[in-house]
Amino acid sequence: LAAGRSYSGGGAYPSVSLTCPLPGVPKAVFAAAESRERFETRVTVLENGLRVASQNKFGQFCTVGILVNSGSRHEAKYLSGISHFLEKLAFSSTAQFGSKDEILLTLEKHGGICDCQASRDTIMYAVSADARGLDTVVNLLADVTLQPRLSDEEIEMTRMAIRFELEDLNMRPDPEPLLTEMIHAAAFRDNTVGLNRFCPVENTDKINRAVLHSYLSSYYTPDRMVLAGVGIEHEHLVECARKYLLGVEPVWGSGQGRAVDRSVAQYTGGIIKVEKDMSDVSLGPTPIPELTHIMIGLESCSFLEDDFIPFAVLNMMMGGGGSFSAGGPGKGMFTRLYLNVLNRHHWMYNATSYHHSYEDTGLLCIHASADPKQVREMVEIITREFILMAGAVGEVELERAKTQLKSMLMMNLESRPVIFEDVGRQVLATNTRKLPHELCALISQVKPADIKRVVTKMLHKKPAVAALGDLTDLPTYEHIQAALSSKDGRLPRLYRLFR
């Protein structure tokens, strides 16, 4: 204790100046602004078609992972729900590791954690760990991706986990995940991104090792994979990729699988309605009131198109959120859905804009929630907001939306796992990566005319509608479509008079 006091008071090194390093202490390494080339994303393509991408970032830890061009959109010829199974089975026993616990203990030696996420078009296996353990991490990732055991016990546990997750989804007070599935199914009926991301209950018993191997043999091929890393040297990552991912025969064999589904998304529009009693989704002393949830969407564009940036700005300009999450300007207090909807109609509990974009299509939608008795009025208000998108765009609101989008982009890219996902997804889709400053320059160039152009193109499509809850007063799909094609977004007059 006395020694501690002496050290904290500076008595341990009485003759060392504050401007000199302490003897015996390792020399500090500081982050420095170096040449821009050091921070560009580097990409190397191996002989088997695997792409290796890396991004330098200062720090002791790295995030490394394998992204596969695979997901629920590719399940047309298979049982729906395979991607959901693969997500849950990730980081289980492999050829080298006897159990999930063994994998976690191996990562623990390097301070590492792991995760797997499956979306409509990508399955992503990721590990964050000390950069000195890169060799172990890439070895583990290669084993998890290409050599999973998929034992009967693990598959049975996955079935149980998926059934529990599906029950939980239907019981949650927040129905946003369900509505997202419904709006995609309505917009792209029975094709590509309209296929369900979650495994249907009736398929949980049908998916087994043979089905999984059949799917993996078609989609888990090197040319459909990217090994991405952030916070490591590119040459070291390429060396590890050659060592563990080149010439490795997968557990399902190297034989040619079925033909890969290269279908292009076909936007159909339409409506999906689910009548559901929402009166008891939230019990307790302050329960959430019974609400009906509506989501209305229109086709936007692919993230590969030039119009993607104007659509992203438009989505930020619409903004919105829950009626109790206003916060301040940074949370979108001045977005259109706050100013025009939530501030003017106290009975609306939610009005939020979302933009989903994929390699061949996109969907811009607005989610709104209100009491079941006010569904008709809520639909009219939301359709009117779609119509108003094509009107005049104020210079101040446009600049605010662009600044907010750039701010959000740069803030999110402070996180190493977010940079990893950005690098992996861009390289998987385009073999290269746009850097943040390039994206910010494109955002700055968006003009009011660009917003008007993309909205005009979007409003010519049939709407996609998802409705959940008490739908007694929900207008028909034809009336919603007519409202979107009118000049003021109002439901037809006769409908309002005689409803």
Side-chain angles (χ1 to χ4, degrees), residues 435-472:
L435 293 172
H437 71 270
E438 296 175 274
L439 292 171
C440 287
L442 290 172
I443 293 167
S444 298
Q445 291 168 15
V446 175
K447 301 286 188 290
D450 297 322
I451 301 293
K452 190 162 186 174
R453 185 188 74 253
V454 298
V455 171
T456 304
K457 186 169 68 173
M458 181 176 68
L459 286 173
H460 284 124
K461 305 287 177 67
K462 289 171 62 178
V465 182
L468 179 69
D470 180 351
L471 308 178
T472 309

Side-chain angles (χ1 to χ4, degrees), residues 26-267:
K27 187 179 179 182
V29 180
F30 298 99
E34 300 181 34
S35 62
R36 203 185 101 192
E37 289 73 23
R38 182 169 171 77
F39 298 97
E40 287 183 350
T41 302
R42 296 180 61 188
V43 181
T44 299
V45 183
L46 301 187
E47 292 82 348
N48 62 355
L50 177 81
R51 285 157 286 180
V52 182
S54 73
Q55 177 78 40
N56 250 311
K57 184 173 174 64
F58 183 82
Q60 181 183 349
F61 280 78
C62 65
T63 298
V64 183
I66 293 176
L67 293 93
V68 188
N69 184 8
S70 156
S72 58
R73 70 170 294 162
H74 300 107
E75 292 174 0
K77 298 177 184 177
Y78 294 88
L79 285 169
S80 174
I82 290 177
S83 302
H84 196 185
F85 259 76
L86 291 172
E87 179 186 55
K88 300 294 178 197
L89 283 163
F91 295 98
S92 297
S93 63
T94 68
Q96 287 184 50
F97 301 93
S99 67
K100 189 163 197 160
D101 288 343
E102 198 174 321
I103 288 175
L104 295 177
L105 285 169
T106 303
L107 286 174
E108 208 172 272
K109 293 173 185 173
H110 302 284
I113 55 172
C114 60
D115 186 31
C116 177
Q117 292 180 11
S119 61
R120 287 186 153 74
D121 52 3
T122 310
I123 296 181
M124 182 171 62
Y125 301 81
V127 171
S128 287
D130 191 302
R132 290 171 294 186
L134 180 65
D135 200 272
T136 304
V137 166
V138 176
N139 179 24
L140 189 150
L141 283 166
D143 217 40
V144 163
T145 312
L146 301 175
Q147 304 283 335
R149 283 186 182 167
L150 305 178
S151 69
D152 293 338
E153 184 184 356
E154 288 167 346
I155 291 174
E156 188 54 44
M157 289 294 289
T158 299
R159 288 191 183 111
M160 291 169 61
I162 286 175
R163 288 187 195 115
F164 176 81
E165 187 175 345
L166 294 174
E167 280 183 35
D168 179 58
L169 275 172
N170 287 309
M171 292 166 62
R172 282 186 196 174
D174 175 24
E176 197 268 325
L178 280 179
L179 282 166
T180 301
E181 291 306 306
M182 291 165 63
I183 196 75
H184 278 83
F188 305 93
R189 194 171 289 272
D190 298 326
N191 77 87
T192 57
V193 294
L195 301 177
N196 201 334
R197 194 167 62 86
F198 299 109
C199 180
V201 179
E202 62 271 17
N203 284 358
T204 51
D205 287 325
K206 297 176 186 175
I207 294 176
N208 54 33
R209 190 190 297 111
V211 171
L212 294 170
H213 277 184
S214 172
Y215 180 85
L216 290 166
S217 65
S218 290
Y219 290 96
Y220 276 46
T221 54
D223 59 301
R224 299 179 65 84
M225 292 182 179
V226 168
L227 173 66
V230 176
I232 34 84
E233 292 294 333
H234 185 71
E235 289 75 14
H236 192 185
L237 187 62
V238 171
E239 182 188 328
C240 291
R242 289 186 182 281
K243 187 175 178 182
Y244 298 111
L245 287 160
L246 199 60
V248 177
E249 183 167 338
V251 70
W252 49 85
S254 56
Q256 189 65 34
R258 295 195 210 181
V260 171
D261 182 8
R262 302 189 187 279
S263 303
V264 176
Q266 302 297 314
Y267 181 83

Side-chain angles (χ1 to χ4, degrees), residues 344-467:
R344 295 185 183 182
H345 307 285
H346 65 89
W347 45 268
M348 284 192 70
Y349 280 76
N350 192 354
T352 312
S353 175
Y354 296 96
H355 187 218
H356 306 277
S357 197
Y358 305 96
E359 201 170 338
D360 50 359
T361 187
L363 190 65
L364 183 81
C365 44
I366 296 177
H367 168 207
S369 309
D371 186 276
K373 293 184 179 65
Q374 291 171 299
V375 169
R376 184 199 61 78
E377 195 175 351
M378 172 172 67
V379 170
E380 188 171 305
I381 288 164
I382 296 305
T383 52
R384 193 179 303 147
E385 285 305 310
F386 272 108
I387 299 297
L388 289 173
M389 288 180 193
V393 178
E395 197 65 41
V396 174
E397 71 168 342
L398 181 61
E399 285 306 313
R400 184 185 288 121
K402 292 196 291 187
T403 304
Q404 194 171 347
L405 181 59
K406 287 186 277 189
S407 170
M408 185 178 289
L409 173 72
M410 299 307 291
M411 184 177 68
N412 287 337
L413 289 173
E414 287 290 312
S415 166
R416 194 178 55 252
V418 174
I419 300 173
F420 155 76
E421 186 173 347
D422 183 49
V423 169
R425 283 182 179 276
Q426 286 203 51
V427 172
L428 195 63
T430 65
N431 296 321
T432 184
R433 180 188 179 224
K434 277 192 172 75
L435 293 172
H437 71 270
E438 296 175 274
L439 292 171
C440 287
L442 290 172
I443 293 167
S444 298
Q445 291 168 15
V446 175
K447 301 286 188 290
D450 297 322
I451 301 293
K452 190 162 186 174
R453 185 188 74 253
V454 298
V455 171
T456 304
K457 186 169 68 173
M458 181 176 68
L459 286 173
H460 284 124
K461 305 287 177 67
K462 289 171 62 178
V465 182

Side-chain angles (χ1 to χ4, degrees), residues 256-330:
Q256 189 65 34
R258 295 195 210 181
V260 171
D261 182 8
R262 302 189 187 279
S263 303
V264 176
Q266 302 297 314
Y267 181 83
T268 60
I271 185 167
I272 288 185
K273 301 186 286 187
V274 176
E275 287 271 0
K276 186 179 178 185
D277 181 9
M278 306 286 281
S279 59
D280 60 351
V281 293
S282 170
L283 304 175
T286 54
I288 296 174
E290 180 183 359
L291 300 174
T292 293
H293 303 271
I294 305 292
M295 199 177 265
I296 300 175
L298 292 163
E299 187 181 22
S300 58
C301 74
S302 153
F303 58 70
L304 298 177
E305 296 178 46
D306 293 338
D307 284 343
F308 172 67
I309 298 295
F311 268 115
V313 174
L314 172 65
N315 179 56
M316 192 60 65
M317 194 168 73
M318 297 307 295
S323 57
F324 296 107
S325 66

